[in-house]
């Protein structure tokens, strides 16, 4: 990267939350920064608010005074675009309006040096379209930070159709110097994170629509069992229901209303009611009055004796941590084989959900069936979700619950819901991530890194899918597609290829 960009003047346009966050980040890295907003008072207010927050950290002993004052000294307000003429990098963080962004960069091209680079922090608009306003679009790329920009490690560097290789390389080097992990992707709707993440919200919203459980219980399945940092409904309350809904709708429209991105009517209704989450005092949860925590529907201690005979059947290599728990805590005996992994508890079959209902599998197998949901880490998950076939009697279900409770798990009984919740969510995340890779939007490594660092997933969806077995992911989606009769769950071509035994011997497990 050339020295002028490494040490040069940075301009940030837009003094909202993202704009001032990016300005703080650049100033902390040693750059002189000019913050411009169409309303000069807004730019000054943003700088003053930042100064107040940073000095409070100093007063609280959480930051060094000299370092803080040096950072603030590198920040100044610009009152016109002409004052940005000597900047080597201009980062735009204004309203998500294509015409506004195009007009802005058209004006900047007439003002700034031909060697200055332009970047947009857009999360939903085409970089190719924004750069279409420029005579020299090779200098333009996306630089998509995540909120809060100074803290979140990920930045998506987005290439438009005409973005130059030198521009991408320079921004990658700059991101590294700023302490960020960067991923590179093509300019397609949602880039990596906002595209791949849609099923994380959508599957739980669907379960809520279908009255599978209340919000607190559904969130607990993904958080306490699935290993995600927050449940999807908690997270949308934090993001803002209006913001999250708008992103989903934007991706849905950009993909010509593909059903796998269909927005939720439940979320739309919250937005219409003004229940936007934390910022409005109420969303899926209430924040506007002191109250006890929402109760999670855990199963009470099962009234059943410890099972006399617990046997592990099939190949447990994809669930080795659970197999070890069962062996150590329940005295499970292994009977290796090539079948799908399952447990027999006396006469009850306990098995990982595969997109069929427990009732379907009980009919097929001719035994009582209890399905358990996927966990990112069975050894450390505090809870596990299950569903029981209607054909079972109460004692069958109690035996399975007692076994899982003996492993130190809280058990969350759900109705007989196909694919339960974490399993179907991972299947959809991995399916979308594979489509990103298959269509050359980003590499597999960058796709997983984006989901790990951008939204703090417990595992990258591609690494997780490979560890579980692509055949199981494919089977889950095919069963869900048959159950619902919807294209939403159609497997992507690369998933079918990866799940082929010819590509991955033994993948049929």
């Amino acid at each position: 990267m050339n020295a002028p960009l490494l040490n040069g003047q940075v301009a940030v346009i837009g003094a909202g939350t993202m704009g001032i966050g990016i300005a703080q980040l650049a100033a902390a890295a040693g750059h002189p920064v000019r913050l411009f907003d169409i309303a000069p008072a807004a730019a000054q207010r943003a700088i003053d608010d930042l100064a107040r927050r940073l000095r409070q950290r100093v007063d609280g002993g959480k930051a060094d005074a000299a370092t803080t004052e040096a950072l603030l000294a590198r920040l100044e307000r610009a009152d016109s675009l002409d004052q940005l003429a000597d900047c080597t990098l201009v980062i735009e963080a204004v309203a998500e309006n294509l015409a506004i962004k195009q007009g802005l960069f058209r004006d900047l091209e007439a003002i700034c040096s031909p060697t200055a680079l332009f970047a947009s922090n857009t999360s939903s608009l085409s970089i190719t379209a924004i750069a279409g306003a420029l005579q020299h679009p090779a200098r333009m790329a996306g630089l998509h930070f995540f909120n809060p920009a100074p803290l979140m490690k990920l930045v998506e560097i987005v290439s438009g159709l005409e973005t130059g290789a030198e521009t991408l390389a320079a921004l990658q080097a700059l991101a590294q110097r700023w302490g960020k992990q960067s991923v590179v992707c093509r300019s397609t709707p949602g880039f990596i994170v906002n595209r791949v993440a849609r099923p994380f919200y959508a599957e739980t919203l669907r379960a809520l629509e279908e009255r599978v459980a209340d919000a607190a219980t559904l969130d607990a399945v993904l958080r306490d069992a699935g290993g995600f940092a927050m449940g999807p409904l908690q997270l949308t309350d934090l993001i803002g229901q209006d913001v999250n809904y708008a992103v989903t709708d934007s991706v849905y429209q950009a993909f010509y209303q593909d059903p796998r991105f269909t927005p939720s009517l439940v979320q739309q209704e919250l937005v219409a009611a003004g229940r936007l989450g934390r910022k409005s005092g109420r969303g899926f949860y209430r924040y506007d009055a002191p109250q006890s925590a929402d109760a999670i529907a855990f199963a009470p201690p099962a009234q059943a004796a410890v099972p006399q005979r617990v046997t592990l059947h099939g190949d447990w290599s994809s669930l080795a941590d659970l197999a070890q728990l069962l062996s150590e805590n329940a005295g499970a005996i292994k009977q290796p084989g090539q079948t799908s992994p399952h447990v027999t508890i006396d006469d009850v079959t306990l098995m990982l959900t595969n997109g069929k209902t427990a009732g379907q599998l009980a009919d097929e197998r001719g035994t009582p069936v209890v399905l358990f949901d996927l966990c990112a880490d069975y050894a450390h998950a505090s809870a596990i979700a299950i569903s029981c076939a209607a054909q079972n009697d109460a004692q069958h279900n109690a035996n399975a619950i007692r076994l899982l409770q003996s492993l130190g798990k809280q058990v969350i009984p759900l109705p007989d819901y196909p694919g339960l919740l974490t399993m179907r969510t991972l299947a959809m995340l991995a399916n979308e991530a594979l489509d990103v890779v298959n269509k050359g939007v980003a590499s597999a490594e960058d796709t997983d890194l984006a989901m790990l660092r951008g939204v703090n997933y417990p595992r990258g969806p591609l690494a997780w899918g490979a560890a579980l077995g692509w055949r199981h992911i494919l089977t889950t989606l095919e069963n869900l597609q048959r159950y619902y009769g919807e294209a939403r769950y159609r497997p992507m071509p690369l998933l079918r290829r990866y799940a082929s035994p010819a590509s991955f011997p033994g993948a049929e497990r």
Side-chain angles (χ1 to χ4, degrees), residues 385-428:
I386 65 166
S387 64
C388 305
Q391 298 94 316
N392 299 1
D393 62 33
Q395 193 60 49
H396 293 143
N397 300 341
N399 288 346
I401 291 170
R402 175 70 179 86
L403 174 65
L404 295 171
Q405 288 174 338
S406 75
L407 306 182
K409 308 300 179 190
Q410 293 269 34
V411 176
I412 304 174
L414 297 178
D416 194 6
Y417 191 57
L420 273 69
L421 196 52
T422 305
M423 182 70 245
R424 65 195 283 164
T425 299
L426 171 64
M428 290 291 279

Side-chain angles (χ1 to χ4, degrees), residues 110-169:
I111 293 168
C112 297
S113 162
T115 61
L117 298 187
F118 296 153
S120 173
N121 185 58
T122 182
S123 61
S124 62
L125 297 178
S126 165
I127 296 300
T128 298
I130 296 171
L134 299 175
Q135 294 183 22
H136 303 286
R139 71 200 299 190
M140 174 86 205
L143 204 55
H144 181 217
F145 294 90
F146 292 79
N147 192 29
L151 298 180
M152 295 297 287
K153 285 293 184 183
L154 185 75
V155 59
E156 291 178 316
I157 300 176
V158 186
S159 174
L161 200 59
E162 301 293 338
T163 302
E166 300 85 356
T167 299
L168 293 176

Side-chain angles (χ1 to χ4, degrees), residues 352-356 418-420 423-425 427-428 468 470-482 489 491:
L352 177 66
T353 179
N354 66 357
K356 291 185 177 181
L420 273 69
M423 182 70 245
R424 65 195 283 164
T425 299
M428 290 291 279
L468 181 63
W470 291 118
R471 188 67 190 176
H472 194 90
I473 299 290
L474 175 62
T475 297
T476 299
L477 290 177
E478 288 178 332
N479 287 332
L480 287 171
Q481 189 176 22
R482 278 191 287 270
Y489 295 104

Side-chain angles (χ1 to χ4, degrees), residues 21 24 78 129 287 346 366 386 415 432:
Q24 177 187 343
Y287 308 93
D346 297 331
I386 65 166
E432 197 60 42

